[in-house]
mmCIF file of all heavy atoms in Angstrom:
data_model
loop_
_atom_site.group_PDB
_atom_site.id
_atom_site.type_symbol
_atom_site.label_atom_id
_atom_site.label_comp_id
_atom_site.label_asym_id
_atom_site.label_seq_id
_atom_site.Cartn_x
_atom_site.Cartn_y
_atom_site.Cartn_z
ATOM 1 N N SER A 445 -1.371 -27.927 22.114
ATOM 2 C CA SER A 445 -2.470 -27.678 21.175
ATOM 3 C C SER A 445 -3.570 -28.736 21.329
ATOM 4 O O SER A 445 -4.742 -28.442 21.127
ATOM 5 C CB SER A 445 -1.952 -27.606 19.742
ATOM 6 O OG SER A 445 -0.957 -28.572 19.542
ATOM 7 N N GLU A 446 -3.184 -29.989 21.734
ATOM 8 C CA GLU A 446 -4.222 -31.023 21.919
ATOM 9 C C GLU A 446 -5.136 -30.662 23.095
ATOM 10 O O GLU A 446 -6.330 -30.915 23.064
ATOM 11 C CB GLU A 446 -3.604 -32.406 22.202
ATOM 12 C CG GLU A 446 -2.912 -33.030 21.008
ATOM 13 C CD GLU A 446 -1.507 -32.464 20.853
ATOM 14 O OE1 GLU A 446 -0.839 -32.257 21.879
ATOM 15 O OE2 GLU A 446 -1.098 -32.195 19.716
ATOM 16 N N GLU A 447 -4.532 -30.094 24.119
ATOM 17 C CA GLU A 447 -5.311 -29.766 25.316
ATOM 18 C C GLU A 447 -6.344 -28.669 25.069
ATOM 19 O O GLU A 447 -7.287 -28.527 25.836
ATOM 20 C CB GLU A 447 -4.374 -29.327 26.459
ATOM 21 C CG GLU A 447 -3.557 -30.461 27.044
ATOM 22 C CD GLU A 447 -2.551 -29.950 28.068
ATOM 23 O OE1 GLU A 447 -1.471 -29.498 27.651
ATOM 24 O OE2 GLU A 447 -2.865 -29.982 29.268
ATOM 25 N N ILE A 448 -6.153 -27.926 23.994
ATOM 26 C CA ILE A 448 -7.070 -26.824 23.696
ATOM 27 C C ILE A 448 -8.346 -27.336 23.045
ATOM 28 O O ILE A 448 -9.436 -26.834 23.272
ATOM 29 C CB ILE A 448 -6.378 -25.815 22.765
ATOM 30 C CG1 ILE A 448 -5.155 -25.237 23.453
ATOM 31 C CG2 ILE A 448 -7.319 -24.708 22.355
ATOM 32 C CD1 ILE A 448 -4.202 -24.583 22.502
ATOM 33 N N HIS A 449 -8.161 -28.389 22.226
ATOM 34 C CA HIS A 449 -9.299 -28.919 21.462
ATOM 35 C C HIS A 449 -10.435 -29.375 22.366
ATOM 36 O O HIS A 449 -10.255 -29.558 23.563
ATOM 37 C CB HIS A 449 -8.818 -30.086 20.599
ATOM 38 C CG HIS A 449 -8.022 -29.609 19.425
ATOM 39 N ND1 HIS A 449 -8.538 -29.546 18.165
ATOM 40 C CD2 HIS A 449 -6.766 -29.144 19.342
ATOM 41 C CE1 HIS A 449 -7.610 -29.082 17.354
ATOM 42 N NE2 HIS A 449 -6.515 -28.815 18.039
ATOM 43 N N ASN A 450 -11.595 -29.590 21.731
ATOM 44 C CA ASN A 450 -12.776 -30.078 22.450
ATOM 45 C C ASN A 450 -13.086 -29.236 23.687
ATOM 46 O O ASN A 450 -13.379 -29.755 24.752
ATOM 47 C CB ASN A 450 -12.562 -31.545 22.862
ATOM 48 C CG ASN A 450 -12.866 -32.457 21.687
ATOM 49 O OD1 ASN A 450 -13.840 -32.236 20.970
ATOM 50 N ND2 ASN A 450 -12.006 -33.437 21.473
ATOM 51 N N HIS A 451 -13.000 -27.954 23.512
ATOM 52 C CA HIS A 451 -13.308 -26.996 24.579
ATOM 53 C C HIS A 451 -12.377 -27.120 25.776
ATOM 54 O O HIS A 451 -12.703 -26.653 26.869
ATOM 55 C CB HIS A 451 -14.774 -27.110 25.018
ATOM 56 C CG HIS A 451 -15.720 -26.854 23.886
ATOM 57 N ND1 HIS A 451 -15.961 -25.595 23.412
ATOM 58 C CD2 HIS A 451 -16.428 -27.697 23.098
ATOM 59 C CE1 HIS A 451 -16.802 -25.677 22.381
ATOM 60 N NE2 HIS A 451 -17.093 -26.940 22.164
ATOM 61 N N GLY A 452 -11.234 -27.751 25.542
ATOM 62 C CA GLY A 452 -10.246 -27.874 26.612
ATOM 63 C C GLY A 452 -9.698 -26.531 27.047
ATOM 64 O O GLY A 452 -9.188 -26.382 28.157
ATOM 65 N N TRP A 453 -9.824 -25.540 26.174
ATOM 66 C CA TRP A 453 -9.275 -24.220 26.492
ATOM 67 C C TRP A 453 -9.864 -23.626 27.759
ATOM 68 O O TRP A 453 -9.211 -22.852 28.447
ATOM 69 C CB TRP A 453 -9.474 -23.257 25.315
ATOM 70 C CG TRP A 453 -10.925 -23.066 24.910
ATOM 71 C CD1 TRP A 453 -11.633 -23.812 24.039
ATOM 72 C CD2 TRP A 453 -11.823 -22.075 25.416
ATOM 73 N NE1 TRP A 453 -12.918 -23.366 23.944
ATOM 74 C CE2 TRP A 453 -13.070 -22.290 24.774
ATOM 75 C CE3 TRP A 453 -11.704 -21.036 26.339
ATOM 76 C CZ2 TRP A 453 -14.182 -21.503 25.042
ATOM 77 C CZ3 TRP A 453 -12.822 -20.239 26.591
ATOM 78 C CH2 TRP A 453 -14.041 -20.486 25.944
ATOM 79 N N VAL A 454 -11.128 -24.015 28.102
ATOM 80 C CA VAL A 454 -11.753 -23.410 29.286
ATOM 81 C C VAL A 454 -10.976 -23.740 30.557
ATOM 82 O O VAL A 454 -11.046 -23.002 31.535
ATOM 83 C CB VAL A 454 -13.238 -23.822 29.476
ATOM 84 C CG1 VAL A 454 -14.120 -23.196 28.437
ATOM 85 C CG2 VAL A 454 -13.370 -25.329 29.489
ATOM 86 N N ASN A 455 -10.225 -24.839 30.520
ATOM 87 C CA ASN A 455 -9.443 -25.209 31.699
ATOM 88 C C ASN A 455 -8.353 -24.197 32.030
ATOM 89 O O ASN A 455 -7.827 -24.195 33.137
ATOM 90 C CB ASN A 455 -8.808 -26.586 31.507
ATOM 91 C CG ASN A 455 -9.888 -27.663 31.403
ATOM 92 O OD1 ASN A 455 -10.924 -27.574 32.076
ATOM 93 N ND2 ASN A 455 -9.672 -28.637 30.536
ATOM 94 N N ALA A 456 -8.024 -23.371 31.052
ATOM 95 C CA ALA A 456 -7.012 -22.354 31.311
ATOM 96 C C ALA A 456 -7.632 -21.085 31.881
ATOM 97 O O ALA A 456 -6.938 -20.190 32.344
ATOM 98 C CB ALA A 456 -6.257 -22.038 30.030
ATOM 99 N N VAL A 457 -8.980 -21.027 31.825
ATOM 100 C CA VAL A 457 -9.662 -19.776 32.194
ATOM 101 C C VAL A 457 -9.939 -19.719 33.701
ATOM 102 O O VAL A 457 -10.225 -20.736 34.338
ATOM 103 C CB VAL A 457 -10.988 -19.662 31.393
ATOM 104 C CG1 VAL A 457 -11.769 -18.423 31.797
ATOM 105 C CG2 VAL A 457 -10.679 -19.639 29.896
ATOM 106 N N HIS A 458 -9.847 -18.553 34.240
ATOM 107 C CA HIS A 458 -10.111 -18.318 35.671
ATOM 108 C C HIS A 458 -11.557 -18.720 35.983
ATOM 109 O O HIS A 458 -12.467 -18.388 35.225
ATOM 110 C CB HIS A 458 -9.902 -16.830 35.970
ATOM 111 C CG HIS A 458 -9.872 -16.508 37.432
ATOM 112 N ND1 HIS A 458 -11.001 -16.419 38.196
ATOM 113 C CD2 HIS A 458 -8.823 -16.265 38.264
ATOM 114 C CE1 HIS A 458 -10.673 -16.122 39.440
ATOM 115 N NE2 HIS A 458 -9.349 -16.039 39.504
ATOM 116 N N PRO A 459 -11.785 -19.433 37.100
ATOM 117 C CA PRO A 459 -13.147 -19.890 37.427
ATOM 118 C C PRO A 459 -14.184 -18.767 37.374
ATOM 119 O O PRO A 459 -15.308 -18.987 36.906
ATOM 120 C CB PRO A 459 -13.002 -20.430 38.845
ATOM 121 C CG PRO A 459 -11.553 -20.752 39.009
ATOM 122 C CD PRO A 459 -10.790 -19.866 38.085
ATOM 123 N N ASP A 460 -13.791 -17.573 37.799
ATOM 124 C CA ASP A 460 -14.753 -16.457 37.813
ATOM 125 C C ASP A 460 -15.122 -15.989 36.414
ATOM 126 O O ASP A 460 -16.122 -15.307 36.227
ATOM 127 C CB ASP A 460 -14.165 -15.263 38.582
ATOM 128 C CG ASP A 460 -14.040 -15.551 40.064
ATOM 129 O OD1 ASP A 460 -14.540 -16.621 40.505
ATOM 130 O OD2 ASP A 460 -13.436 -14.717 40.774
ATOM 131 N N ASP A 461 -14.262 -16.269 35.432
ATOM 132 C CA ASP A 461 -14.517 -15.785 34.076
ATOM 133 C C ASP A 461 -15.059 -16.883 33.171
ATOM 134 O O ASP A 461 -15.428 -16.636 32.027
ATOM 135 C CB ASP A 461 -13.226 -15.242 33.447
ATOM 136 C CG ASP A 461 -12.646 -14.096 34.253
ATOM 137 O OD1 ASP A 461 -13.444 -13.364 34.893
ATOM 138 O OD2 ASP A 461 -11.422 -13.936 34.254
ATOM 139 N N MET A 462 -15.075 -18.101 33.701
ATOM 140 C CA MET A 462 -15.396 -19.268 32.878
ATOM 141 C C MET A 462 -16.779 -19.181 32.258
ATOM 142 O O MET A 462 -16.948 -19.376 31.062
ATOM 143 C CB MET A 462 -15.283 -20.514 33.745
ATOM 144 C CG MET A 462 -14.510 -21.635 33.086
ATOM 145 S SD MET A 462 -14.459 -23.009 34.209
ATOM 146 C CE MET A 462 -12.712 -23.191 34.431
ATOM 147 N N GLU A 463 -17.731 -18.842 33.099
ATOM 148 C CA GLU A 463 -19.111 -18.847 32.614
ATOM 149 C C GLU A 463 -19.303 -17.803 31.516
ATOM 150 O O GLU A 463 -19.895 -18.073 30.475
ATOM 151 C CB GLU A 463 -20.059 -18.569 33.783
ATOM 152 C CG GLU A 463 -21.425 -19.162 33.551
ATOM 153 C CD GLU A 463 -22.469 -18.586 34.521
ATOM 154 O OE1 GLU A 463 -22.066 -17.960 35.526
ATOM 155 O OE2 GLU A 463 -23.661 -18.743 34.247
ATOM 156 N N ARG A 464 -18.750 -16.631 31.777
ATOM 157 C CA ARG A 464 -18.858 -15.530 30.828
ATOM 158 C C ARG A 464 -18.238 -15.943 29.479
ATOM 159 O O ARG A 464 -18.799 -15.707 28.424
ATOM 160 C CB ARG A 464 -18.095 -14.321 31.394
ATOM 161 C CG ARG A 464 -18.560 -13.002 30.884
ATOM 162 C CD ARG A 464 -18.103 -11.888 31.826
ATOM 163 N NE ARG A 464 -16.747 -12.076 32.335
ATOM 164 C CZ ARG A 464 -15.651 -11.664 31.705
ATOM 165 N NH1 ARG A 464 -15.749 -11.048 30.559
ATOM 166 N NH2 ARG A 464 -14.459 -11.868 32.242
ATOM 167 N N ALA A 465 -17.075 -16.597 29.586
ATOM 168 C CA ALA A 465 -16.370 -17.002 28.375
ATOM 169 C C ALA A 465 -17.175 -18.049 27.617
ATOM 170 O O ALA A 465 -17.355 -17.973 26.404
ATOM 171 C CB ALA A 465 -14.998 -17.546 28.733
ATOM 172 N N ARG A 466 -17.705 -19.029 28.366
ATOM 173 C CA ARG A 466 -18.504 -20.091 27.732
ATOM 174 C C ARG A 466 -19.711 -19.489 27.023
ATOM 175 O O ARG A 466 -20.029 -19.868 25.899
ATOM 176 C CB ARG A 466 -18.977 -21.077 28.806
ATOM 177 C CG ARG A 466 -18.020 -22.223 29.036
ATOM 178 C CD ARG A 466 -18.828 -23.489 29.380
ATOM 179 N NE ARG A 466 -17.912 -24.511 29.885
ATOM 180 C CZ ARG A 466 -17.632 -24.664 31.181
ATOM 181 N NH1 ARG A 466 -18.189 -23.877 32.086
ATOM 182 N NH2 ARG A 466 -16.794 -25.601 31.563
ATOM 183 N N ASN A 467 -20.363 -18.564 27.722
ATOM 184 C CA ASN A 467 -21.568 -17.952 27.139
ATOM 185 C C ASN A 467 -21.244 -17.208 25.852
ATOM 186 O O ASN A 467 -21.967 -17.304 24.867
ATOM 187 C CB ASN A 467 -22.208 -16.976 28.129
ATOM 188 C CG ASN A 467 -22.850 -17.723 29.291
ATOM 189 O OD1 ASN A 467 -23.060 -18.943 29.206
ATOM 190 N ND2 ASN A 467 -23.133 -17.002 30.368
ATOM 191 N N ALA A 468 -20.152 -16.449 25.907
ATOM 192 C CA ALA A 468 -19.786 -15.650 24.736
ATOM 193 C C ALA A 468 -19.478 -16.562 23.549
ATOM 194 O O ALA A 468 -19.939 -16.326 22.424
ATOM 195 C CB ALA A 468 -18.576 -14.776 25.050
ATOM 196 N N VAL A 469 -18.723 -17.623 23.816
ATOM 197 C CA VAL A 469 -18.382 -18.547 22.737
ATOM 198 C C VAL A 469 -19.638 -19.268 22.253
ATOM 199 O O VAL A 469 -19.856 -19.441 21.056
ATOM 200 C CB VAL A 469 -17.289 -19.546 23.194
ATOM 201 C CG1 VAL A 469 -17.079 -20.628 22.166
ATOM 202 C CG2 VAL A 469 -15.982 -18.798 23.447
ATOM 203 N N GLY A 470 -20.481 -19.644 23.213
ATOM 204 C CA GLY A 470 -21.739 -20.305 22.861
ATOM 205 C C GLY A 470 -22.565 -19.423 21.938
ATOM 206 O O GLY A 470 -23.072 -19.884 20.911
ATOM 207 N N ALA A 471 -22.653 -18.146 22.284
ATOM 208 C CA ALA A 471 -23.420 -17.210 21.456
ATOM 209 C C ALA A 471 -22.788 -17.094 20.077
ATOM 210 O O ALA A 471 -23.493 -17.003 19.060
ATOM 211 C CB ALA A 471 -23.471 -15.844 22.133
ATOM 212 N N GLY A 472 -21.467 -17.109 20.064
ATOM 213 C CA GLY A 472 -20.753 -17.042 18.785
ATOM 214 C C GLY A 472 -21.098 -18.228 17.914
ATOM 215 O O GLY A 472 -21.404 -18.075 16.727
ATOM 216 N N ILE A 473 -21.111 -19.431 18.514
ATOM 217 C CA ILE A 473 -21.415 -20.646 17.749
ATOM 218 C C ILE A 473 -22.857 -20.581 17.238
ATOM 219 O O ILE A 473 -23.147 -20.891 16.089
ATOM 220 C CB ILE A 473 -21.198 -21.905 18.624
ATOM 221 C CG1 ILE A 473 -19.713 -22.023 19.005
ATOM 222 C CG2 ILE A 473 -21.672 -23.150 17.898
ATOM 223 C CD1 ILE A 473 -19.425 -23.054 20.079
ATOM 224 N N GLU A 474 -23.764 -20.128 18.113
ATOM 225 C CA GLU A 474 -25.191 -20.060 17.759
ATOM 226 C C GLU A 474 -25.455 -19.072 16.633
ATOM 227 O O GLU A 474 -26.099 -19.394 15.655
ATOM 228 C CB GLU A 474 -25.998 -19.572 18.973
ATOM 229 C CG GLU A 474 -26.182 -20.540 20.099
ATOM 230 C CD GLU A 474 -27.302 -21.546 19.833
ATOM 231 O OE1 GLU A 474 -28.242 -21.240 19.045
ATOM 232 O OE2 GLU A 474 -27.209 -22.622 20.403
ATOM 233 N N THR A 475 -24.968 -17.833 16.865
ATOM 234 C CA THR A 475 -25.423 -16.729 16.011
ATOM 235 C C THR A 475 -24.320 -16.119 15.149
ATOM 236 O O THR A 475 -24.605 -15.292 14.307
ATOM 237 C CB THR A 475 -25.994 -15.594 16.889
ATOM 238 O OG1 THR A 475 -24.913 -15.111 17.724
ATOM 239 C CG2 THR A 475 -27.117 -16.087 17.784
ATOM 240 N N GLY A 476 -23.087 -16.508 15.411
ATOM 241 C CA GLY A 476 -21.986 -15.918 14.629
ATOM 242 C C GLY A 476 -21.604 -14.530 15.113
ATOM 243 O O GLY A 476 -20.948 -13.783 14.394
ATOM 244 N N THR A 477 -22.037 -14.162 16.322
ATOM 245 C CA THR A 477 -21.675 -12.851 16.859
ATOM 246 C C THR A 477 -20.164 -12.788 17.079
ATOM 247 O O THR A 477 -19.600 -13.685 17.689
ATOM 248 C CB THR A 477 -22.326 -12.630 18.247
ATOM 249 O OG1 THR A 477 -23.636 -13.169 18.208
ATOM 250 C CG2 THR A 477 -22.336 -11.176 18.647
ATOM 251 N N PRO A 478 -19.525 -11.740 16.615
ATOM 252 C CA PRO A 478 -18.083 -11.637 16.838
ATOM 253 C C PRO A 478 -17.758 -11.656 18.332
ATOM 254 O O PRO A 478 -18.545 -11.206 19.157
ATOM 255 C CB PRO A 478 -17.712 -10.292 16.222
ATOM 256 C CG PRO A 478 -18.779 -10.023 15.235
ATOM 257 C CD PRO A 478 -20.026 -10.634 15.792
ATOM 258 N N LEU A 479 -16.601 -12.179 18.636
ATOM 259 C CA LEU A 479 -16.180 -12.310 20.026
ATOM 260 C C LEU A 479 -15.332 -11.122 20.430
ATOM 261 O O LEU A 479 -14.505 -10.656 19.661
ATOM 262 C CB LEU A 479 -15.308 -13.557 20.177
ATOM 263 C CG LEU A 479 -15.994 -14.908 20.284
ATOM 264 C CD1 LEU A 479 -14.929 -15.991 20.302
ATOM 265 C CD2 LEU A 479 -16.819 -14.959 21.568
ATOM 266 N N ASP A 480 -15.538 -10.665 21.672
ATOM 267 C CA ASP A 480 -14.623 -9.677 22.238
ATOM 268 C C ASP A 480 -14.681 -9.876 23.741
ATOM 269 O O ASP A 480 -15.614 -9.431 24.402
ATOM 270 C CB ASP A 480 -15.039 -8.261 21.836
ATOM 271 C CG ASP A 480 -13.946 -7.262 22.152
ATOM 272 O OD1 ASP A 480 -13.006 -7.624 22.906
ATOM 273 O OD2 ASP A 480 -14.023 -6.125 21.685
ATOM 274 N N LEU A 481 -13.702 -10.593 24.226
ATOM 275 C CA LEU A 481 -13.749 -11.062 25.607
ATOM 276 C C LEU A 481 -12.518 -10.638 26.361
ATOM 277 O O LEU A 481 -11.410 -10.748 25.853
ATOM 278 C CB LEU A 481 -13.710 -12.584 25.575
ATOM 279 C CG LEU A 481 -14.979 -13.395 25.753
ATOM 280 C CD1 LEU A 481 -14.631 -14.860 25.604
ATOM 281 C CD2 LEU A 481 -15.618 -13.126 27.102
ATOM 282 N N GLU A 482 -12.738 -10.204 27.603
ATOM 283 C CA GLU A 482 -11.587 -9.987 28.469
ATOM 284 C C GLU A 482 -11.684 -11.020 29.575
ATOM 285 O O GLU A 482 -12.713 -11.106 30.248
ATOM 286 C CB GLU A 482 -11.608 -8.580 29.044
ATOM 287 C CG GLU A 482 -11.290 -7.548 27.976
ATOM 288 C CD GLU A 482 -11.101 -6.141 28.508
ATOM 289 O OE1 GLU A 482 -11.221 -5.943 29.742
ATOM 290 O OE2 GLU A 482 -10.844 -5.258 27.689
ATOM 291 N N LEU A 483 -10.661 -11.808 29.709
ATOM 292 C CA LEU A 483 -10.726 -12.854 30.726
ATOM 293 C C LEU A 483 -9.340 -13.167 31.257
ATOM 294 O O LEU A 483 -8.342 -12.782 30.652
ATOM 295 C CB LEU A 483 -11.386 -14.118 30.164
ATOM 296 C CG LEU A 483 -10.985 -14.604 28.763
ATOM 297 C CD1 LEU A 483 -9.722 -15.403 28.825
ATOM 298 C CD2 LEU A 483 -12.106 -15.443 28.193
ATOM 299 N N ARG A 484 -9.320 -13.857 32.388
ATOM 300 C CA ARG A 484 -8.046 -14.231 32.976
ATOM 301 C C ARG A 484 -7.719 -15.667 32.587
ATOM 302 O O ARG A 484 -8.608 -16.525 32.600
ATOM 303 C CB ARG A 484 -8.103 -14.129 34.502
ATOM 304 C CG ARG A 484 -7.937 -12.715 35.014
ATOM 305 C CD ARG A 484 -8.497 -12.565 36.408
ATOM 306 N NE ARG A 484 -9.954 -12.661 36.407
ATOM 307 C CZ ARG A 484 -10.700 -12.510 37.508
ATOM 308 N NH1 ARG A 484 -10.147 -12.302 38.672
ATOM 309 N NH2 ARG A 484 -12.014 -12.601 37.420
ATOM 310 N N VAL A 485 -6.492 -15.894 32.234
ATOM 311 C CA VAL A 485 -6.064 -17.272 31.963
ATOM 312 C C VAL A 485 -4.857 -17.581 32.838
ATOM 313 O O VAL A 485 -4.130 -16.683 33.258
ATOM 314 C CB VAL A 485 -5.712 -17.497 30.469
ATOM 315 C CG1 VAL A 485 -6.928 -17.302 29.584
ATOM 316 C CG2 VAL A 485 -4.584 -16.590 30.030
ATOM 317 N N ARG A 486 -4.676 -18.898 33.047
ATOM 318 C CA ARG A 486 -3.581 -19.313 33.906
ATOM 319 C C ARG A 486 -2.294 -19.369 33.105
ATOM 320 O O ARG A 486 -2.227 -20.018 32.075
ATOM 321 C CB ARG A 486 -3.854 -20.678 34.524
ATOM 322 C CG ARG A 486 -2.982 -20.947 35.763
ATOM 323 C CD ARG A 486 -2.912 -22.440 36.079
ATOM 324 N NE ARG A 486 -4.236 -23.076 36.001
ATOM 325 C CZ ARG A 486 -5.070 -23.190 37.030
ATOM 326 N NH1 ARG A 486 -4.730 -22.735 38.207
ATOM 327 N NH2 ARG A 486 -6.230 -23.793 36.880
ATOM 328 N N ARG A 487 -1.310 -18.646 33.573
ATOM 329 C CA ARG A 487 -0.028 -18.661 32.909
ATOM 330 C C ARG A 487 0.719 -19.938 33.290
ATOM 331 O O ARG A 487 0.372 -20.574 34.277
ATOM 332 C CB ARG A 487 0.785 -17.436 33.344
ATOM 333 C CG ARG A 487 1.569 -16.824 32.217
ATOM 334 C CD ARG A 487 2.053 -15.452 32.553
ATOM 335 N NE ARG A 487 2.670 -15.384 33.889
ATOM 336 C CZ ARG A 487 3.041 -14.246 34.458
ATOM 337 N NH1 ARG A 487 2.862 -13.114 33.820
ATOM 338 N NH2 ARG A 487 3.588 -14.238 35.645
ATOM 339 N N ALA A 488 1.721 -20.285 32.539
ATOM 340 C CA ALA A 488 2.477 -21.515 32.800
ATOM 341 C C ALA A 488 2.990 -21.554 34.238
ATOM 342 O O ALA A 488 3.058 -22.609 34.859
ATOM 343 C CB ALA A 488 3.642 -21.616 31.820
ATOM 344 N N ASP A 489 3.291 -20.393 34.802
ATOM 345 C CA ASP A 489 3.818 -20.359 36.170
ATOM 346 C C ASP A 489 2.712 -20.306 37.229
ATOM 347 O O ASP A 489 2.985 -20.124 38.415
ATOM 348 C CB ASP A 489 4.783 -19.187 36.342
ATOM 349 C CG ASP A 489 4.092 -17.846 36.136
ATOM 350 O OD1 ASP A 489 2.850 -17.817 35.968
ATOM 351 O OD2 ASP A 489 4.774 -16.805 36.139
ATOM 352 N N GLY A 490 1.441 -20.451 36.763
ATOM 353 C CA GLY A 490 0.341 -20.515 37.709
ATOM 354 C C GLY A 490 -0.340 -19.186 37.976
ATOM 355 O O GLY A 490 -1.435 -19.150 38.522
ATOM 356 N N ALA A 491 0.301 -18.095 37.602
ATOM 357 C CA ALA A 491 -0.297 -16.779 37.851
ATOM 358 C C ALA A 491 -1.431 -16.532 36.856
ATOM 359 O O ALA A 491 -1.421 -17.061 35.754
ATOM 360 C CB ALA A 491 0.773 -15.709 37.701
ATOM 361 N N TRP A 492 -2.415 -15.728 37.292
ATOM 362 C CA TRP A 492 -3.518 -15.374 36.387
ATOM 363 C C TRP A 492 -3.166 -14.100 35.648
ATOM 364 O O TRP A 492 -2.703 -13.144 36.264
ATOM 365 C CB TRP A 492 -4.811 -15.158 37.180
ATOM 366 C CG TRP A 492 -5.317 -16.407 37.828
ATOM 367 C CD1 TRP A 492 -5.262 -16.717 39.146
ATOM 368 C CD2 TRP A 492 -5.926 -17.512 37.171
ATOM 369 N NE1 TRP A 492 -5.802 -17.947 39.375
ATOM 370 C CE2 TRP A 492 -6.227 -18.466 38.178
ATOM 371 C CE3 TRP A 492 -6.264 -17.801 35.851
ATOM 372 C CZ2 TRP A 492 -6.836 -19.689 37.895
ATOM 373 C CZ3 TRP A 492 -6.875 -19.009 35.567
ATOM 374 C CH2 TRP A 492 -7.152 -19.945 36.571
ATOM 375 N N ILE A 493 -3.399 -14.092 34.383
ATOM 376 C CA ILE A 493 -3.177 -12.842 33.655
ATOM 377 C C ILE A 493 -4.389 -12.534 32.790
ATOM 378 O O ILE A 493 -5.116 -13.424 32.351
ATOM 379 C CB ILE A 493 -1.920 -12.896 32.754
ATOM 380 C CG1 ILE A 493 -2.032 -14.013 31.708
ATOM 381 C CG2 ILE A 493 -0.651 -13.060 33.554
ATOM 382 C CD1 ILE A 493 -1.314 -13.648 30.451
#
Side-chain angles (χ1 to χ4, degrees):
S445 39
E446 289 82 39
E447 289 174 277
I448 299 162
H449 286 257
N450 279 318
H451 301 285
W453 59 272
V454 289
N455 295 324
V457 177
H458 192 282
D460 291 353
D461 300 330
M462 227 180 240
E463 206 195 345
R464 205 161 40 87
R466 270 214 192 92
N467 289 345
V469 171
I473 296 169
E474 287 280 335
T475 62
T477 321
L479 280 175
D480 192 346
L481 259 177
E482 289 188 0
L483 44 82
R484 280 159 290 183
V485 296
R486 199 199 315 269
R487 219 165 47 187
D489 63 6
W492 294 106
I493 60 149

